[in-house]
């Protein structure tokens, strides 16, 4: 299993970025996938997930209405469109998957219970 994330960078408050994560070694047809993030000095937290079963999407309250998770099954890739970015969104963003569950409850799950992580991509939002 490999998860290769990209698309991080530096933007000003109110700007946008789109993260991509190419998955290999498994199919998004069969497994959920999501994004977590970790700000400096803070616990890793769930941001958004997309379910394998029906493509339903789930978001942390802090990003609802600003972030959109989507997937391209033909490319086995998941995206995170981030709009109206705020300084508090500054973090390393990780792509994550697990072979238990379909992704619908991962935001309620402690991050260390999820098995497969990409290397992360840094997003910096300046005020």
């Amino acid at each position: 299993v490999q998860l290769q994330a990209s698309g991080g960078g530096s933007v000003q408050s109110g700007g946008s970025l789109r993260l991509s994560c190419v998955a290999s070694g498994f199919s998004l047809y069969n497994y959920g996938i999501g994004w977590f993030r970790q700000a400096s000095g803070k616990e890793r937290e769930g941001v958004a997930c997309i379910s394998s079963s029906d493509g339903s999407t789930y978001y942390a309250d802090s990003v609802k209405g600003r972030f959109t998770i989507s997937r391209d099954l033909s490319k086995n890739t998941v995206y995170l469109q981030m709009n109206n970015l705020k300084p508090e969104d500054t973090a390393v963003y990780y792509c994550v998957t697990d072979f238990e569950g379909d992704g619908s409850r991962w935001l309620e799950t402690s991050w260390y219970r999820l098995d497969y992580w990409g290397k992360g991509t840094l997003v910096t939002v300046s005020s």
Side-chain angles (χ1 to χ4, degrees):
V1 172
Q2 286 193 329
L3 299 166
Q4 183 64 50
S6 62
S10 297
V11 295
Q12 290 191 326
S13 183
S16 299
L17 283 173
R18 188 177 84 152
L19 306 183
S20 300
C21 176
V22 179
S24 58
F26 70 101
S27 173
L28 295 185
Y29 280 101
N30 300 319
Y31 299 102
I33 194 161
W35 293 92
F36 276 56
R37 67 186 180 186
Q38 187 167 19
S40 180
K42 293 190 175 180
E43 184 83 0
R44 195 170 296 188
E45 62 177 3
V47 176
C49 294
I50 189 163
S51 168
S52 60
S53 57
D54 60 2
S56 293
T57 56
Y58 304 87
Y59 297 93
D61 288 344
S62 58
V63 306
K64 279 180 183 175
R66 301 188 297 121
F67 290 12
T68 302
I69 188 172
S70 62
R71 63 182 180 177
D72 185 332
L73 294 175
S74 68
K75 295 181 179 180
N76 220 38
T77 298
V78 64
Y79 303 97
L80 186 69
Q81 177 66 45
M82 305 184 294
N83 297 329
N84 191 22
L85 282 159
K86 303 176 180 180
E88 52 263 43
D89 295 317
T90 295
V92 177
Y93 284 71
Y94 297 92
C95 187
V96 59
T97 191
D98 194 273
F99 291 172
E100 289 192 20
D102 63 358
S104 60
R105 303 185 70 85
W106 290 350
L107 295 186
E108 305 165 29
T109 302
S110 297
W111 67 269
Y112 48 83
R113 295 187 180 277
L114 302 175
D115 284 341
Y116 301 103
W117 295 83
K119 283 189 177 180
T121 185
L122 177 62
V123 172
T124 303
V125 185
S126 58
S127 58

